[in-house]
Amino acid sequence: RSVLYHATTQAGLRAWTGSSGAGTRDVTDCLTAIVFDGLAVVSPGGEGGSAALAVVDEAKARWEADAAGRLAGRRGAVLAAARDQFALRGFESTTMRDIADVAGLTVSNLYRYFESKDSMIREILGDFSGRLLRAYKEVIGAGATVTETLGAILWLLQQAGRQFGPEIEILQGYGRLLTLGLGDDYERAARARLDLLAALIAAGAAAGARVRA
């Protein structure tokens, strides 16, 4: 998925002349989602799905509604430019000038909004991880069975892949980010998600729940 995302973005920057960077990313997200997730846009349970699947659909709708607001204004545009450049070039290869050029700012003006690349990557990954953790808690708290909840979490991760393609691409270099001390916020929420999942599986095992093949 990462290779296809990166290659499609590169091709788009060269071939889709007249498109903005955001337009290129939108096409990349769409193509990658179709290849890996298919064309499904509603939860697999349909109208008769579990309460956990309904919660996933609510989280998806919230992410979509929040997207424009999160990236609104000049600061949001800077953050969007940084996110896309980190996904395309890698964190360490991206310069403040790269981000400023995409955001339509001078480098000196860029520092009015963020003091460094480090502060940008922390906010980008921390926000993503926090949103995913909130959705995990909501899905697990929906009162569905263990097997229904696990299925809903898989559907949640598919939707996260569609909505947060650049963030997931950035995480391909997660080990290096941790080495640089830039993944702490993401790591805390990721560990909390893992603990929730482990507790759910343990509860299912104790109750003798089985996942259908």
Side-chain angles (χ1 to χ4, degrees):
R1 185 172 194 135
S2 173
V3 171
L4 178 63
Y5 184 93
H6 189 76
T8 306
T9 303
Q10 290 279 18
L13 291 174
R14 297 190 182 97
W16 300 324
T17 55
S19 296
S20 66
T24 296
R25 186 175 64 78
D26 289 342
V27 175
T28 300
D29 287 344
C30 181
L31 291 176
T32 306
I34 288 172
V35 170
F36 284 92
D37 303 328
L39 293 172
V41 293
V42 296
S43 61
E47 293 184 359
S50 70
L53 283 172
V55 169
V56 175
D57 290 339
E58 291 170 3
K60 173 177 175 286
R62 182 173 65 241
W63 291 340
E64 291 172 347
D66 289 350
R70 284 187 295 119
L71 303 180
R74 181 61 72 182
R75 188 179 188 278
V78 169
L79 204 61
R83 181 191 60 183
D84 291 346
Q85 289 299 297
F86 294 154
L88 177 64
R89 301 171 183 271
F91 174 75
E92 290 187 280
S93 297
T94 299
T95 66
M96 291 293 274
R97 181 168 296 280
D98 292 330
I99 297 168
D101 288 346
V102 173
L105 295 171
T106 63
V107 174
S108 59
N109 281 336
L110 187 64
Y111 283 104
R112 294 175 55 192
Y113 302 98
F114 293 94
E115 63 182 15
S116 65
K117 292 193 307 178
D118 293 6
S119 61
M120 296 182 199
I121 195 72
R122 286 194 178 99
E123 183 165 337
I124 290 166
L125 294 183
D127 178 76
F128 167 54
S129 197
R131 288 174 183 274
L132 199 53
L133 175 59
R134 175 185 172 183
Y136 261 63
K137 290 178 178 178
E138 291 171 344
V139 170
I140 292 173
T145 67
V146 172
T147 52
E148 288 173 340
T149 302
L150 288 172
I153 287 174
L154 291 176
W155 179 244
L156 174 70
L157 293 175
Q158 283 194 31
Q159 300 314 303
R162 290 172 182 263
Q163 187 67 36
F164 299 102
E167 286 86 346
I168 291 172
E169 176 65 21
I170 292 168
L171 287 170
Q172 300 306 310
Y174 180 55
R176 180 57 179 162
L177 291 174
L178 278 179
T179 301
L180 295 171
L182 300 175
D184 294 347
D185 291 341
Y186 178 87
E187 179 74 7
R188 278 191 291 272
R191 288 185 178 277
R193 293 196 303 273
L194 182 60
D195 289 344
L196 287 171
L197 190 58
L200 177 67
I201 293 172
R210 293 184 179 181
V211 179
R212 294 179 181 177

